[in-house]
Amino acid sequence: MIVSRPDRLIFYFLVIVMARAEVQENISPECKQFLYMGTPPRGLEEKPLKKICQFYAGHPRFFTLYDTVSHIPVYSAYTFKRSDGFKKADVPWMYEPQLSLKSGSREMQELPSEDLHRSFEDAQAVLEDYSNSVIYERGQLNPDEHQAHPFDKAATYTLTNVVPQVREFNIGPWKKHEHTIRKRLNNYCRGTAYVVTGVTTSGHTIRRHNINRVGIPTYLWSAYCCIDFDHNAPYSERSKFPAFAAYGLNYRENNRVQEMTVQQLEDFLKKVTYVESTFQLFYDNCVPPGSDNSALHLSK
């Protein structure tokens, strides 16, 4: 059942082995590796948001900024791994203990039975929040098909990396976009590709037991930065480097994913979300260090 809060737009941003994830006040050096120049998107309202360094099998896998009120991630930031696109479907869904209790385990744990959810479900989503919805599916912001190693794929199966996506959008335009980005970065990115994928919301929620449980994204958006790319690639692809972006409407109709420059996406998000005027997805607009334009971030 879906209801609407007051009309406002807000930016929200294995296997049986346990995945480790840590809620942090500041992003740790080991988790900054998933952010271009070690710098997260700037200009976000961060007071109610939690920084999660997602670990699995003893290693950091990606970074998530999480909203404990709407029980969805604002965004997940990760490094793309050259991939065959296959999904890893035999992984139990996980939750993050430290979102509910600072002294909780650093180990992200497999979701327990419904009877035990009450100890942590105030701060995060649980599987039952999605189970009675016929419209929405669990959609990963860091998709497993953008990872290669089985552990990297497994680490994406945490509900702190998931938002409700309309089925027609999830398996249609958005999935096609994920395929397109995978093929593009596989073929033409020679170095590290940094990806940030997030959402906007408008106050609609999934309800369970007459309680607002999970924020429903209005738009999904994504951007990548790869400064070391194939300069001999066809122009149609070369023109989408070093950075490019896209967004799509999380709806059954009119949900085409529109590709655009990162700056165009930033301008769009400034219109539909609560971000500061200095909002910027990538440090220095993904301009390579030492470039003539490497001070752009100072002028925005």
Side-chain angles (χ1 to χ4, degrees):
M1 179 179 180
I2 311 303
V3 300
S4 176
R5 295 176 183 169
D7 188 18
R8 57 190 177 90
L9 290 165
I10 303 176
F11 182 58
Y12 289 111
F13 301 91
L14 340 186
V15 251
I16 301 294
V17 182
M18 289 184 177
R20 193 181 79 202
E22 184 179 14
V23 177
Q24 304 177 335
E25 292 296 327
N26 299 299
I27 304 174
S28 62
E30 60 189 347
C31 217
K32 287 184 177 181
Q33 66 178 290
F34 306 112
L35 302 162
Y36 177 64
M37 299 297 288
T39 305
R42 71 177 188 184
L44 296 175
E45 296 283 346
E46 294 198 18
K47 289 184 180 179
L49 307 178
K50 299 294 185 180
K51 302 178 181 70
I52 305 176
C53 190
Q54 306 277 11
F55 279 73
Y56 186 89
H59 295 280
R61 306 294 172 174
F62 63 102
F63 171 78
T64 298
L65 189 65
Y66 193 79
D67 185 338
T68 57
V69 176
S70 291
H71 303 147
I72 57 172
V74 174
Y75 65 77
S76 285
Y78 60 95
T79 51
F80 173 86
K81 311 300 191 304
R82 191 165 282 105
S83 167
D84 56 16
F86 288 130
K87 295 177 68 67
K88 184 174 179 60
D90 59 340
V91 180
W93 286 98
M94 312 292 282
Y95 78 103
E96 172 48 56
Q98 289 191 355
L99 284 177
S100 303
L101 188 64
K102 287 185 177 180
S103 61
S105 172
R106 291 183 58 179
E107 301 294 323
M108 184 163 285
Q109 299 176 7
E110 183 177 347
L111 283 159
S113 66
E114 185 177 3
D115 293 340
L116 300 177
H117 282 168
R118 293 181 181 179
S119 63
F120 61 81
E121 65 180 3
D122 284 349
Q124 57 196 292
V126 295
L127 288 176
E128 283 71 23
D129 293 325
Y130 291 87
S131 62
N132 292 325
S133 174
V134 297
I135 300 175
Y136 299 101
E137 299 182 333
R138 296 184 296 270
Q140 298 169 312
L141 297 188
N142 173 10
D144 59 350
E145 78 163 83
H146 284 188
Q147 303 298 329
H149 192 281
F151 284 175
D152 286 331
K153 288 179 177 290
T156 66
Y157 286 86
T158 165
L159 291 185
T160 54
N161 180 48
V162 163
V163 299
Q165 288 190 35
V166 173
R167 175 175 173 77
E168 290 83 353
F169 178 65
N170 185 31
I171 67 174
W174 194 252
K175 182 57 61 180
K176 181 179 178 181
H177 172 68
E178 290 176 340
H179 291 336
T180 297
I181 298 306
R182 178 179 62 82
K183 292 177 182 177
R184 181 181 300 156
L185 297 179
N186 270 352
N187 292 332
Y188 304 115
C189 180
R190 297 293 179 254
T192 300
Y194 300 88
V195 186
V196 182
T197 300
V199 303
T200 75
T201 66
S202 59
H204 295 283
T205 65
I206 292 177
R207 287 173 64 85
R208 181 165 60 88
H209 302 318
N210 294 319
I211 298 173
N212 293 332
R213 284 295 304 162
V214 182
I216 298 171
T218 304
Y219 292 98
L220 269 73
W221 55 265
S222 187
Y224 63 82
C225 167
C226 171
I227 61 174
D228 182 8
F229 60 93
D230 182 0
H231 290 266
N232 294 317
Y235 178 77
S236 60
E237 297 296 328
R238 190 172 72 249
S239 62
K240 297 178 175 64
F241 286 93
F244 220 56
Y247 74 83
L249 180 65
N250 185 33
Y251 197 64
R252 287 177 171 176
E253 302 173 346
N254 301 317
N255 55 14
R256 181 173 66 94
V257 174
Q258 177 67 48
E259 282 201 283
M260 62 192 64
T261 67
V262 172
Q263 285 68 43
Q264 287 172 328
L265 175 61
E266 290 172 346
D267 290 341
F268 171 76
L269 294 177
K270 287 177 183 179
K271 294 176 182 177
V272 300
T273 63
Y274 292 133
V275 295
E276 299 174 7
S277 60
T278 58
F279 174 61
Q280 189 175 64
L281 287 171
F282 296 115
Y283 175 86
D284 219 0
N285 293 314
C286 189
V287 175
S291 167
D292 291 340
N293 297 321
S294 61
L296 287 178
H297 69 286
L298 298 176
S299 61
K300 288 197 68 177

